[in-house]
Amino acid sequence: MSVFNKIFKLSKKTAKSLLNNKPPKKLLKTELFSEEDKAYILKELTNKEAIERRESLANQINTEDDWQLVKKEITKPVIKLNRYYAAVAVLVACLAVGYLIKQNYTSVDAPQIIVNNIEVGSDKATLTLEDGSQVELGEGTSFESENANSDGENLIYKKPNPKNSQIAYNYLTIPRGGQFFVELSDGTKVWLNSESQLKYPVSFVEGDTRKVELIYGEAYFDVSPSTENKGSKFKVYNNNQEIKVLGTEFNVKAYKEEFNVYTTLVEGKVEVGIDDKKEVLKPSQQSNLDLQTKKFKVYEIDVYNEISWREGIFSFENKNLKDIMAVLSRWYDTDVIFENKSIEKEEFIGVLGKDQDIVEILKTIQNFGIISDYQINDKTIILK
Amino acid sequence: MHSISLKEFKEYFDNQYMSLCLFANKYIGDMEIAKDIVQDVFVKIWEEKITFKNESNIKTYLYTSVKNKSLDFLKSKTYKATNKLTDLDIQKLETEPFFLREVVVQETSKIIHEAIATLPKKCAEILLLSIQDYSNQDIANELQISINTVKAQKKIAYKKLKPILKEYFLFIAFALE
């Protein structure tokens, strides 16, 4: 046992003895410390002044406030460049400096921000009920019905009534700039990303296969296992793709403007299929279904980059600027125009906190010399 | 890839931050700088994606890093220019026993503090005094209650703490496997 394990064990025993008003035998007998050190430790723990001193120092520490500082530091846009691009960036930066110096003499700078109406995304969704009526969910709203309730951050369905044998469907639609969490009647948890729509039964019929449809967009599923649902299977449909779930966690991405469906398995086992083609995924594998050729590609992937959106972080690894801006445009509900097409293919490694202001992110990209300038007008970003 | 989520990372932080600040302060004697040092260590863990096998592994890393960073600070030119710590003082702070005994103090205080926080107010007050070696009579005098109330409250406290303390031992037994 390492000295540290001994130290931690000794601490626990000592705490227990003192709490129970018994002599800390383990501490008194240990060979780890000299008699003088033992006396010091006991004094620090049991002496009135020492306890009060500690208390007053502890009062100077606000763990939550300081966590916010750390969080800000670790989720601020730290866009790291590939080695190759780093070299290019330095070059671009040098050229840019030259350019800026020259510009000062020749022209007045165009304003970077004309009107900025771009906001950070938030929890919001539209719930479409079985009778076709719609309910807006979001911060500050609450909703309660026979089958479900919502506090504005999430929507929770009640356990199914066993007498219920009729299937009624609800739709949850997440707009651009939104995200939402829903727990279905079987306890399956679903996180929905911006610009997504999910169709699901208000309550599952006991014993029947549980079926939901991701009509478009991106969702992370944590499926309640068959063993807890009288053996009934769970299936997710999207664009003719069928995912047969064998108790598990996975992410499905199928945005409207893309011709591919990406299924990433985090835990457990799933089978993806279209027509008569089938692939079984293992954890950390992703399948990419090309909707035009109806063919699957399966490969290993860094799962974190695919699912970090759920935790308020965008994590990109070797993604090009065009793909990154596509993700950001959904969360910030904005349009992006590349005035300079050649920068679309620039690749990044980066981590962005989802609560960042868009201007901060653009500034970081600019500071790396990838874009020479940007402009925001209403809800449109122009990259130059 | 991060093998822990931001949420788990926050749990580590919430769990250890205060102890580590108090620990760093023992070296530095300046709480603001102590906090900066501890925050830097957490940022580094996240940014360098440092992974750990178990709980005692994390703590070992945290205490060791905070100690090293604190000593680096004490040896820095900026600090030396304005303070009177002699090389001999620093040598004393650098010894293994100084380090280990501070770890024991912080870890033990933390467990005591967390355990007492789960108790009702009166119980907690009595137990705090009992840790300071007050006899039942002393406690009764101090809080102006009867000695029988003290005894009864202590019993309640021991009973309530039993499962909590047990859990600690089960957990550590598991971590040491």
Side-chain angles (χ1 to χ4, degrees):
Chain A
M1 190 158 54
S2 81
V3 64
F4 278 101
N5 283 333
K6 283 184 192 161
I7 288 285
F8 295 137
K9 204 171 170 184
L10 175 67
S11 302
K12 285 176 180 154
K13 292 255 187 213
T14 306
K16 194 183 180 187
S17 302
L18 291 174
L19 282 165
N20 283 317
N21 211 6
K22 286 178 185 147
K25 272 190 225 148
K26 182 102 183 172
L27 175 66
L28 298 173
K29 278 196 229 151
T30 184
E31 284 168 14
L32 288 166
F33 293 108
S34 67
E35 291 309 311
E36 194 191 334
D37 283 340
K38 288 176 192 174
Y40 168 85
I41 291 168
L42 268 179
K43 191 175 164 220
E44 283 290 302
L45 295 170
T46 62
N47 175 278
K48 191 164 189 243
E49 283 82 55
I51 291 173
E52 281 170 1
R53 205 178 323 124
R54 182 188 156 84
E55 197 68 17
S56 99
L57 284 167
N59 285 338
Q60 294 175 33
I61 303 165
N62 185 326
T63 304
E64 188 54 37
D65 284 0
D66 292 354
W67 163 253
Q68 291 304 330
L69 296 177
V70 169
K71 189 181 170 197
K72 201 163 176 210
E73 184 70 30
I74 62 180
T75 57
K76 78 178 174 194
V78 279
I79 297 186
K80 293 181 202 139
L81 297 160
N82 281 342
R83 204 174 296 161
Y84 167 73
Y85 286 101
V88 175
V90 172
L91 188 65
V92 171
C94 293
L95 292 173
V97 171
Y99 179 69
L100 287 174
I101 294 166
K102 195 171 155 237
Q103 259 223 333
N104 277 343
Y105 294 105
T106 53
S107 74
V108 182
D109 282 348
Q112 276 184 322
I113 298 169
I114 299 167
V115 184
N116 181 1
N117 285 325
I118 303 174
E119 285 174 14
V120 177
S122 61
D123 290 328
K124 56 186 163 206
T126 304
L127 170 64
T128 308
L129 296 168
E130 44 277 38
D131 63 2
S133 63
Q134 295 194 328
V135 183
E136 297 297 328
L137 305 174
E139 206 180 310
T141 70
S142 66
F143 165 74
E144 184 148 12
S145 78
E146 200 188 325
N147 303 308
N149 54 62
S150 168
D151 64 358
E153 281 178 12
N154 51 46
L155 175 63
I156 313 285
Y157 281 84
K158 293 168 189 164
K159 293 243 172 316
N161 180 345
K163 285 176 207 140
N164 184 5
S165 62
Q166 258 195 333
I167 285 214
Y169 289 96
N170 280 183
Y171 291 78
L172 198 61
T173 311
I174 320 298
R176 289 166 75 88
Q179 62 181 7
F180 220 73
F181 169 83
V182 55
E183 187 175 314
L184 304 178
S185 69
D186 63 338
T188 291
K189 300 179 175 77
V190 189
W191 286 260
L192 285 154
N193 207 344
S194 309
E195 218 180 3
S196 305
Q197 190 178 54
L198 184 74
K199 177 187 176 185
Y200 49 91
V202 173
S203 74
F204 292 106
V205 177
E206 211 170 74
D208 285 7
T209 297
R210 295 167 285 162
K211 292 178 189 169
V212 303
E213 184 177 353
L214 178 67
I215 297 177
Y216 57 82
E218 179 166 22
Y220 183 91
F221 292 89
D222 178 354
V223 175
S224 164
S226 302
T227 46
E228 283 171 25
N229 291 279
K230 308 216 159 154
S232 77
K233 293 184 187 110
F234 193 99
K235 286 183 180 177
V236 179
Y237 292 88
N238 168 269
N239 276 311
N240 302 325
Q241 174 181 266
E242 178 186 301
I243 304 172
K244 211 189 273 172
V245 178
L246 318 148
T248 191
E249 292 187 30
F250 60 99
N251 192 71
V252 187
K253 186 163 67 173
Y255 285 106
K256 276 189 258 183
E257 69 276 14
E258 291 181 22
F259 295 103
N260 303 75
V261 181
Y262 301 90
T263 308
T264 310
L265 183 63
V266 179
E267 218 180 282
K269 202 172 161 189
V270 297
E271 183 186 285
V272 289
I274 185 162
D275 301 338
D276 55 352
K277 292 188 203 76
K278 281 178 194 153
E279 293 284 348
V280 174
L281 298 186
K282 289 187 215 134
S284 301
Q285 279 188 338
Q286 183 177 68
S287 68
N288 174 354
L289 168 63
D290 184 324
L291 290 170
Q292 286 162 321
T293 61
K294 296 195 169 178
K295 278 186 183 149
F296 283 111
K297 268 187 258 170
V298 177
Y299 40 86
E300 298 284 324
I301 193 161
D302 188 339
V303 169
Y304 182 78
N305 295 328
E306 294 298 310
I307 64 169
S308 63
W309 61 269
R310 213 163 48 101
E311 298 166 2
I313 290 175
F314 291 124
S315 177
F316 304 107
E317 205 164 323
N318 300 341
K319 279 269 162 72
N320 66 46
L321 191 57
K322 193 183 174 198
D323 290 344
I324 292 173
M325 292 314 290
V327 172
L328 296 182
S329 71
R330 285 191 286 264
W331 180 238
Y332 291 92
D333 185 15
T334 162
D335 293 318
V336 179
I337 298 170
F338 282 88
E339 231 176 58
N340 175 0
K341 293 274 174 217
S342 67
I343 56 179
E344 287 185 352
K345 298 276 173 240
E346 298 276 3
E347 284 191 359
F348 290 103
I349 299 171
V351 182
L352 304 172
K354 282 172 82 174
D355 55 358
Q356 297 284 328
D357 193 276
I358 190 75
V359 175
E360 262 179 75
I361 293 173
L362 293 173
K363 274 188 188 153
T364 309
I365 298 175
Q366 188 185 18
N367 287 341
F368 271 97
I370 296 306
I371 54 171
S372 58
D373 203 359
Y374 64 87
Q375 208 175 55
I376 296 175
N377 189 3
D378 188 22
K379 280 179 171 282
T380 304
I381 299 168
I382 301 161
L383 300 178
K384 302 181 177 183
Chain B
M1 165 185 160
H2 276 290
S3 56
I4 58 163
S5 66
L6 194 65
K7 199 175 148 228
E8 285 169 296
F9 187 65
K10 182 178 190 304
E11 278 169 24
Y12 293 151
F13 184 88
D14 286 347
N15 191 11
Q16 287 294 327
Y17 182 67
M18 188 171 284
S19 304
L20 290 167
C21 289
L22 292 166
F23 170 79
N25 186 58
K26 283 284 173 76
Y27 284 87
I28 293 167
D30 181 325
M31 188 50 90
E32 288 309 308
I33 295 168
K35 286 186 206 171
D36 283 346
I37 285 178
V38 177
Q39 287 166 26
D40 283 352
V41 168
F42 274 100
V43 169
K44 186 175 171 225
I45 291 177
W46 181 264
E47 284 183 345
E48 296 185 5
K49 301 178 185 178
I50 298 167
T51 55
F52 303 99
K53 276 191 302 215
N54 56 41
E55 202 198 84
S56 77
N57 216 266
I58 303 165
K59 283 189 185 171
T60 305
Y61 177 89
L62 287 169
Y63 278 112
T64 310
S65 307
V66 170
K67 176 200 71 172
N68 290 340
K69 275 198 162 246
S70 301
L71 291 170
D72 285 349
F73 173 78
L74 293 178
K75 289 182 210 163
S76 69
K77 281 201 184 99
T78 40
Y79 179 82
K80 277 192 166 170
T82 55
N83 284 276
K84 297 180 204 77
L85 270 191
T86 62
D87 285 346
L88 202 71
D89 293 330
I90 293 180
Q91 266 174 31
K92 200 184 127 207
L93 294 176
E94 273 182 307
T95 61
E96 183 87 349
F98 183 90
F99 173 46
L100 293 180
R101 73 181 202 187
E102 290 304 335
V103 175
V104 171
V105 168
Q106 297 311 333
E107 283 295 298
T108 311
S109 311
K110 179 166 166 265
I111 298 166
I112 291 175
H113 198 82
E114 283 171 359
I116 287 182
T118 66
L119 296 174
K121 199 165 161 261
K122 200 91 232 157
C123 258
E125 258 180 310
I126 290 171
L127 216 62
L128 246 162
L129 291 173
S130 129
I131 286 168
Q132 295 168 31
D133 254 350
Y134 278 57
S135 69
N136 287 348
Q137 189 59 57
D138 294 342
I139 296 173
N141 295 346
E142 175 86 19
L143 299 177
Q144 298 185 336
I145 48 178
S146 78
I147 190 160
N148 284 332
T149 311
V150 175
K151 285 182 190 162
Q153 289 282 343
K154 270 193 174 178
K155 246 184 210 154
I156 296 171
Y158 297 149
K159 204 172 162 193
K160 282 196 191 272
L161 288 180
K162 214 169 182 182
I164 298 171
L165 294 171
K166 211 172 216 163
E167 210 176 330
Y168 266 113
F169 287 95
L170 278 177
F171 180 62
I172 198 70
F174 175 74
L176 294 179
E177 263 179 4

